[in-house]
């Protein structure tokens, strides 16, 4: 049994992570703003992680074997967490994103074309940190999501006095109505009513992960490996947006209707005019076994179709 603190953990794969940690016999504490209570048997601390004094007060004298941070988006939040958890934990796991590899938002080293990117492509130990930027502005944060994650990783890597792991998640699918981003629901709703789906002239593939698999990988990273550094998290197999739409269409019993937009124009979720894939070899070498996207996508599509056609409560 380990003492594990989860920051966030109130929805989707974070909520499932808390449930599975508790079911595995760990002593789990959840910290969030109080909107959603954790499962019975899980300790609940109510605090806004952006209020460092309130977070420190809520923690009291508690210490943990591991902290899993589901809601760290900026270097300011990371720096606050470093101070709050200094001396309280030996290991810290942060949920990061595939977006850290987006060349449209940062000057990155050249990469081989059509080759899944390894973790080394973005080295948090060498990444510049700017805590003076307007990270508290919601619009700025939304526009600089990838950079916020890169800089948060950098702060934990260089300043944290604990072992640090960043889990760079692929696009997360599955769970029907639980998938709060609505990206798969976008296709379910449009295909069901015969609406056009905007696509780019040249669609290139990307990677995905099922929300249950991501919860399991985070649990594994927290409790079953001593690795430190970044880890890519994606199921095996590449898909492009037409593959995703086809899976949804098969559940709807209708053919998708596409409309090609100009290169670089606005298109539906997962439309990419550049190769957008990660290598998951590092996690595999450490012992994690990934599923195949093609095996779980039909079920995720069926859940999304069912949720999109369910009568409103």
């Amino acid at each position: 049994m380990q003492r594990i603190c989860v920051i966030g953990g109130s929805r989707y794969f974070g909520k499932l992570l808390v449930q599975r940690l508790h079911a595995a016999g760990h002593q789990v504490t959840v910290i969030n703003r109080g909107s959603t209570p954790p499962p019975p048997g899980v300790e609940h601390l109510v605090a806004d992680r952006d209020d460092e004094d309130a977070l420190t007060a809520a923690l009291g004298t508690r210490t943990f074997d591991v902290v899993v941070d589901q809601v760290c988006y900026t270097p300011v939040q990371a720096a606050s967490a470093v101070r709050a958890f200094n001396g309280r934990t030996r290991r810290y796991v942060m949920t990061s994103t595939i977006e850290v590899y987006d060349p449209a938002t940062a000057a990155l080293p050249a990469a081989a074309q059509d080759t899944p990117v390894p973790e080394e492509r973005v080295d948090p130990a060498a990444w510049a940190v700017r805590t003076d930027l307007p990270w508290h502005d919601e619009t700025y944060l939304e526009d600089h999501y990838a950079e916020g994650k890169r800089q948060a990783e950098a702060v934990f890597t260089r300043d944290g006095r604990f072992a640090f792991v960043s889990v760079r998640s692929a696009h997360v699918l599955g769970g029907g109505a639980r998938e709060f981003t609505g990206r798969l629901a976008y296709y379910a709703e449009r295909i069901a009513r015969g609406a056009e789906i905007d696509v780019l002239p040249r669609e290139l593939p990307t990677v995905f992960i099922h929300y249950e698999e991501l919860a399991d990988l985070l649990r594994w990273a927290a409790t079953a490996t001593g690795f430190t550094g970044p880890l890519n998290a994606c199921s095996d197999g590449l898909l492009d947006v037409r593959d995703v739409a086809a899976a949804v269409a098969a559940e709807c019993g209708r053919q998708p209707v596409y409309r090609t937009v100009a290169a670089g124009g606005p298109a539906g979720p997962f439309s990419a005019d550049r190769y957008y894939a990660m290598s998951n070899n590092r996690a595999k070498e450490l012992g994690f076994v990934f599923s195949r996207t093609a095996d779980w996508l039909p079920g995720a599509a069926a859940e999304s179709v069912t949720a999109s056609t369910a009568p409103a409560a």
Side-chain angles (χ1 to χ4, degrees), residues 48-89:
D48 184 342
R49 63 100 36 82
D50 290 323
D51 185 336
E52 187 176 332
D53 290 340
L55 175 60
T56 302
L59 288 169
T61 60
R62 293 172 179 82
T63 60
F64 308 97
D65 295 301
V66 191
V67 174
V68 183
D69 194 339
Q70 296 283 82
V71 289
C72 186
Y73 303 106
T74 75
V76 174
Q77 292 176 326
S80 175
V82 165
R83 291 188 293 269
F85 287 95
N86 179 29
R88 295 183 186 272
T89 187

Side-chain angles (χ1 to χ4, degrees), residues 28-302:
V28 184
T29 297
V30 167
I31 300 175
N32 59 35
R33 290 177 293 185
S35 59
T36 304
V42 172
E43 183 183 35
H44 189 198
L45 303 180
V46 177
D48 184 342
R49 63 100 36 82
D50 290 323
D51 185 336
E52 187 176 332
D53 290 340
L55 175 60
T56 302
L59 288 169
T61 60
R62 293 172 179 82
T63 60
F64 308 97
D65 295 301
V66 191
V67 174
V68 183
D69 194 339
Q70 296 283 82
V71 289
C72 186
Y73 303 106
T74 75
V76 174
Q77 292 176 326
S80 175
V82 165
R83 291 188 293 269
F85 287 95
N86 179 29
R88 295 183 186 272
T89 187
R90 59 179 178 80
R91 187 170 180 81
Y92 204 104
V93 178
M94 170 190 153
T95 303
S96 191
T97 173
I98 187 177
E99 302 298 336
V100 301
Y101 300 115
D102 184 358
T105 61
L108 299 176
Q113 191 172 16
D114 296 345
T115 300
V117 293
E119 288 84 353
E120 292 85 356
R121 183 155 164 75
V122 174
D123 178 10
W127 203 262
V129 172
R130 290 283 306 278
T131 56
D132 59 323
L133 297 174
W135 295 112
H136 295 294
D137 181 272
E138 291 186 7
T139 300
Y140 182 87
L141 179 56
E142 183 177 352
D143 292 342
H144 297 80
Y145 171 72
E147 182 61 15
K149 285 289 191 180
R150 285 186 287 256
Q151 292 195 24
E153 287 189 27
V155 169
F156 283 122
T157 299
R158 296 202 294 261
D159 300 341
R161 299 180 183 180
F162 32 64
F164 173 65
V165 183
S166 57
V167 175
R168 295 171 176 169
S169 171
H171 308 294
V172 188
L173 297 179
R178 289 185 290 272
E179 191 225 321
F180 66 93
T181 65
R183 292 178 294 188
L184 199 55
Y186 169 90
Y187 293 102
E189 293 163 0
R190 296 187 77 81
I191 292 172
R193 58 187 173 88
E196 291 180 326
I197 296 169
D198 290 343
V199 295
L200 298 169
R202 181 177 181 234
E203 293 285 359
L204 293 178
T206 184
V207 284
F208 298 86
I209 190 167
H210 193 274
Y211 84 107
E212 292 188 9
E213 185 166 38
L214 181 54
D216 284 340
L217 189 143
L218 288 164
R219 179 165 62 94
W220 170 81
T223 65
T225 177
F227 173 82
T228 60
L231 279 174
N232 289 340
C234 57
S235 303
D236 289 335
L238 302 177
L239 300 175
D240 65 25
V241 68
R242 291 176 184 261
D243 297 321
V244 174
V248 174
E251 298 299 325
C252 290
R254 304 189 64 161
Q255 290 297 315
V257 179
Y258 297 109
R259 181 179 65 178
T260 302
V261 301
F270 314 128
S271 289
D273 54 7
R274 60 183 175 79
Y275 187 78
Y276 201 23
M278 298 188 296
S279 167
N280 60 12
N281 286 339
R282 176 176 286 179
K284 285 181 176 179
E285 291 168 358
L286 291 167
F288 191 83
V289 179
F290 288 97
S291 66
R292 289 191 56 79
T293 308
D295 292 338
W296 55 255
L297 182 59

